[in-house]
Amino acid sequence: MTKSINIAKLEARFQAKVDAEQKIEPKDWMPEAYRKTLIRQISQHAHSEVVGMLPEGNWILRAPSLRRKVALLAKVQDEAGHGLYLYSAAETLGINRDELFEQLLTGKAKYSSIFNYPTQTWADIGTVGWLVDGAAIMNQVMLTRTSYGPYARAMVRICKEESFHQRQGYEILLALSQGTEEQRKMLQDAVNRWWWPSLMMFGPSDAESTHSAQSMAWKIKRKSNDQLRQEFVDATVRQAEYLGVTLPDPDLKWNEERGHYDFGKINWDEFWAVVKGRGPCNKNRLKTRRKAHENGAWVREAAMAHAEKRAARQKEEGIA
Amino acid sequence: MDQAAALLDYVLRLADSNLVLGQRLAECCGHAPELELDIALTNISLDLMGQARSLYQYAAELKGNGCTEDDLAYFRTEREFRNPLLVEYPNEDFAYTILRQFLFDAYNQLFYQALENSSDARLAEIARKSIKEIRYHLRFSAEWCIRLGDGTELSRQKMQTALDDLWDYTAELCTPNATDQTLLSTGIAVDLEQLKAPYFERVEEILTKATLRKPDYEPFQQGGKEGSHTEFLGHLLAELQVLQRTYPGAEW
């Protein structure tokens, strides 16, 4: 009895703090479900950064100029860095990176479905930067104001780098749009393939989204999936016009009354199929991650063994 | 060989070495044993690529006629590349990656330190900019050699296997060819003969700390600096050059 009263009190105090826009920090009391939701969300986000290295990494070796190669390599490296901060943010909630990795490699944890699509041509690299990073930024800017302190702070840093990546992607596409006939075709083809999956990145519509209401109350999320998706469409249409590409949606048009663009119906069957593992690259992405992890096991073990030997030697010398 | 041709050959050798090794390291991006190592290897790759660009830009100026850094990286063939063989050796596993890096860094640090005194102002300037990065590369690769050599029994075996293979390619690093000789008299080139003793001394010091056995044969593979390469280089270049070759004349 007393226990549940106490918890109710703690919960009320926690919610008051959230409502007052104060950040929740690792040592603060928090409801178990809040902690679990954050671990799930932050680790999904971290896994997305790490798996996201693969489709873009696919073109590092073939980048068409030295300048583009260096920029792409640096971008993929930034993603590894984002993965690191996010795993660290998740670790403040009482789980360690090995456990999180294990969840990724066994398929228990999810990552953003967008990375289960293939990067088929060089234009895909520009398009991923423009649309995929663009969609991610919408979400991440919102998360700089999320209620959990370490997550919000990681996002501030990540957002700065992501907007740089998006410009870099757009710049790749600008070069293609001003290039040869073949390059312009390559650009349009990539946009045709990435447009709808990018819209799906915001997740199911608000009516279908299982975690949304609670996350909004806890101020983990501050805007709904549909709201963010609309902001993304509104921001992107003009950029597409400037590039001279057509977004592959006949229903896309300005709605004067709403003050927003209307757009066509998303193919949610495709979305759920990819989430459930049936996208074009799901199996290969996990296989590649698993292979890197397994091939690296002897290296990690050797580093540990060496550190132990060194510590033992130092101790011995200390005694002598 | 005249001085101008020798200088171009020399600058291309340095540029190609960095590009090829940078490309090999870039292959590891997203596939390294842990995230921290992924980031570190990519850092080294980025440094090498950055240095390669400065060198190709210089070479392009020496060539003239509107030649660009990308013309030199993307439109020369296997037989025109001038890098030593060591840097083109594939990443068979992480032991090869880290040993290839150490065997090259140990040489590269001595080389660029000496190149700071080159009578060619541009090379001296590039060397001054590069040397800090190279010192860091060497510290990183030497530490990892020790860690993996003196780690577990398995890691020691893997490192020894890699060393036994890669050792053969160390001969070429400090052996001068006609290009070096032509440029030595004018103080442009580094005297490679002078690097040989300190190079092997340093390498052996780290191998000892890593509990690795120096291979019992004299390294002898040569030819990269004259454009005679292993079978591995053609594949690396095919991948690197594919877009430029497929769409000649396109701007990216």
Side-chain angles (χ1 to χ4, degrees):
Chain A
M1 191 71 175
T2 345
K3 202 181 166 195
S4 62
I5 291 170
N6 279 343
I7 286 190
K9 260 190 191 164
L10 287 167
E11 273 177 1
R13 203 183 300 157
F14 168 85
Q15 191 62 49
K17 205 169 172 186
V18 169
D19 292 342
E21 299 290 334
Q22 286 171 15
K23 294 285 178 239
I24 305 301
E25 295 299 335
K27 286 187 177 144
D28 295 345
W29 185 90
M30 62 187 83
E32 202 41 37
Y34 177 84
R35 182 189 304 276
K36 280 196 176 135
T37 301
L38 275 170
I39 290 177
R40 182 176 50 79
Q41 189 175 328
I42 299 174
S43 65
Q44 268 181 23
H45 196 158
H47 298 327
S48 302
E49 297 282 355
V50 172
V51 177
M53 294 168 75
L54 301 175
E56 296 192 83
N58 183 36
W59 280 92
I60 291 171
L61 302 177
R62 293 176 289 169
S65 70
L66 294 179
R67 186 169 77 91
R68 297 284 184 214
K69 186 190 288 285
V70 168
L72 180 58
L73 188 55
K75 179 190 175 182
V76 179
Q77 185 192 37
D78 282 347
E79 282 157 12
H82 298 171
L84 272 185
Y85 322 144
L86 287 163
Y87 284 123
S88 303
E91 283 181 328
T92 63
L93 293 158
I95 187 159
N96 67 46
R97 212 207 296 178
D98 289 342
E99 293 171 82
L100 294 171
F101 251 76
E102 189 61 26
Q103 292 175 359
L104 171 67
L105 299 179
T106 55
K108 193 182 160 214
K110 298 274 181 251
Y111 55 86
S112 179
S113 272
I114 195 77
F115 301 120
N116 290 318
Y117 290 86
T119 49
Q120 300 180 36
T121 72
W122 171 251
D124 291 35
I125 295 306
T127 311
V128 166
W130 175 41
L131 296 178
V132 174
D133 291 339
I137 289 166
M138 292 284 165
N139 198 30
Q140 288 166 350
V141 166
M142 168 190 83
L143 289 171
T144 59
R145 298 190 301 120
T146 194
S147 57
Y148 188 57
Y151 194 23
R153 289 188 289 273
M155 277 305 140
V156 171
R157 193 162 164 194
I158 289 174
C159 275
K160 279 186 199 149
E161 293 179 351
E162 288 293 350
S163 40
F164 177 72
H165 295 166
Q166 194 200 10
R167 278 202 298 279
Q168 192 173 295
Y170 194 70
E171 211 237 320
I172 289 176
L173 299 183
L174 266 182
L176 295 178
S177 75
Q178 290 155 11
T180 63
E181 180 62 27
E182 279 164 316
Q183 286 175 305
R184 283 198 299 275
K185 272 191 189 155
M186 199 188 272
L187 161 62
Q188 182 63 57
D189 167 62
V191 171
N192 290 348
R193 285 181 287 107
W194 287 92
W195 172 249
W196 289 106
S198 300
L199 292 190
M200 294 176 200
M201 281 176 71
F202 297 95
S205 69
D206 298 346
E208 305 284 322
S209 180
T210 43
H211 302 294
S212 279
Q214 182 61 75
S215 283
M216 296 281 269
W218 279 332
K219 300 197 180 193
I220 294 176
K221 267 173 93 88
R222 322 259 338 199
K223 287 179 181 176
S224 77
N225 293 354
D226 287 333
Q227 215 177 337
L228 288 167
R229 188 166 14 240
Q230 183 69 59
E231 284 180 20
F232 174 69
V233 172
D234 290 347
T236 308
V237 172
R238 249 158 294 160
Q239 295 166 4
E241 283 165 7
Y242 189 75
L243 274 181
V245 291
T246 309
L247 296 172
D249 178 0
D251 298 325
L252 186 71
K253 55 177 175 293
W254 179 251
N255 182 327
E256 194 62 53
E257 211 172 293
R258 293 203 306 126
H260 290 292
Y261 283 90
D262 288 338
F263 53 94
K265 197 175 164 331
I266 290 171
N267 180 352
W268 292 112
D269 291 342
E270 175 181 327
F271 173 79
W272 288 113
V274 180
V275 169
K276 287 175 184 155
R278 300 179 61 194
C281 302
N282 297 56
K283 282 186 188 145
N284 267 312
R285 297 288 185 243
L286 272 191
K287 198 159 98 182
T288 305
R289 285 304 329 153
R290 244 182 250 135
K291 198 173 143 196
H293 194 72
E294 285 161 13
N295 287 347
W298 70 269
V299 176
R300 297 189 299 273
E301 281 156 19
M304 290 275 273
H306 180 77
E308 280 162 19
K309 280 187 199 175
R310 192 176 273 193
R313 266 177 231 147
Q314 272 165 359
K315 205 173 162 193
E316 224 165 75
E317 278 162 24
I319 291 164
Chain B
M1 196 187 292
D2 65 33
Q3 285 280 321
L7 179 59
L8 178 62
D9 191 64
Y10 197 71
V11 177
L12 284 174
R13 180 202 297 172
L14 305 185
D16 292 344
S17 304
N18 283 357
L19 176 63
V20 170
L21 186 56
Q23 178 88 347
R24 279 288 182 235
L25 290 172
E27 290 172 14
C28 303
C29 181
H31 309 277
E34 58 187 13
L35 272 177
E36 287 83 349
L37 274 173
D38 212 297
I39 292 172
L41 293 178
T42 306
N43 252 340
I44 298 173
S45 177
L46 281 168
D47 287 345
L48 293 172
M49 298 276 192
Q51 294 166 17
R53 291 188 64 193
S54 306
L55 290 157
Y56 281 128
Q57 284 159 12
Y58 182 30
E61 285 169 35
L62 292 173
K63 262 199 117 161
N65 283 327
C67 176
T68 67
E69 54 171 352
D70 288 333
D71 292 336
L72 295 170
Y74 287 85
F75 288 101
R76 285 184 308 131
T77 64
E78 295 88 328
R79 300 280 282 128
E80 292 168 295
F81 266 67
R82 289 290 181 262
N83 57 281
L85 303 173
L86 176 69
V87 295
E88 68 204 45
Y89 205 91
N91 300 304
E92 285 192 26
D93 64 17
F94 190 70
Y96 281 81
T97 303
I98 216 68
L99 257 170
R100 181 187 61 210
Q101 195 62 38
F102 168 65
L103 293 172
F104 184 72
D105 290 341
Y107 153 79
N108 215 28
Q109 198 244 327
L110 291 166
F111 178 85
Y112 273 84
Q113 203 170 285
L115 192 67
E116 285 187 77
N117 302 317
S118 170
S119 64
D120 184 286
R122 187 77 171 266
L123 281 178
E125 186 200 322
I126 292 173
R128 266 193 298 279
K129 282 188 187 157
S130 308
I131 190 73
K132 278 187 206 142
E133 295 172 345
I134 296 168
R135 280 198 192 107
Y136 163 78
H137 302 168
L138 177 60
R139 209 171 64 205
F140 172 85
S141 61
E143 275 173 11
W144 273 97
C145 270
I146 296 170
R147 203 169 277 142
L148 296 179
D150 185 23
T152 60
E153 187 44 35
L154 176 65
S155 71
R156 201 194 59 78
Q157 273 171 25
K158 283 182 180 281
M159 290 293 280
Q160 190 65 54
T161 304
L163 179 62
D164 290 345
D165 277 352
L166 293 174
W167 188 247
D168 214 0
Y169 300 97
T170 55
E172 190 181 19
L173 298 172
C174 302
T175 306
N177 68 5
T179 297
D180 296 279
Q181 268 140 17
T182 308
L183 298 175
L184 203 52
S185 57
T186 47
I188 293 175
V190 169
D191 187 351
L192 293 181
E193 294 284 7
Q194 297 285 325
L195 303 187
K196 204 173 266 177
Y199 173 69
F200 283 102
E201 203 174 292
R202 169 166 304 177
V203 166
E204 283 174 36
E205 181 200 323
I206 297 296
L207 294 184
T208 305
K209 283 190 184 166
T211 69
L212 294 171
R213 187 187 73 257
K214 183 182 129 185
D216 51 10
Y217 65 90
E218 274 300 305
F220 58 90
Q221 297 299 334
Q222 309 248 5
K225 293 194 278 196
E226 291 78 43
S228 189
H229 290 278
T230 65
E231 290 178 348
F232 305 123
L233 183 69
H235 296 276
L236 181 145
L237 292 180
E239 193 168 33
L240 189 145
Q241 298 177 338
V242 62
L243 274 179
Q244 288 276 0
R245 299 267 187 189
T246 311
Y247 304 100
E251 296 279 337
W252 301 92

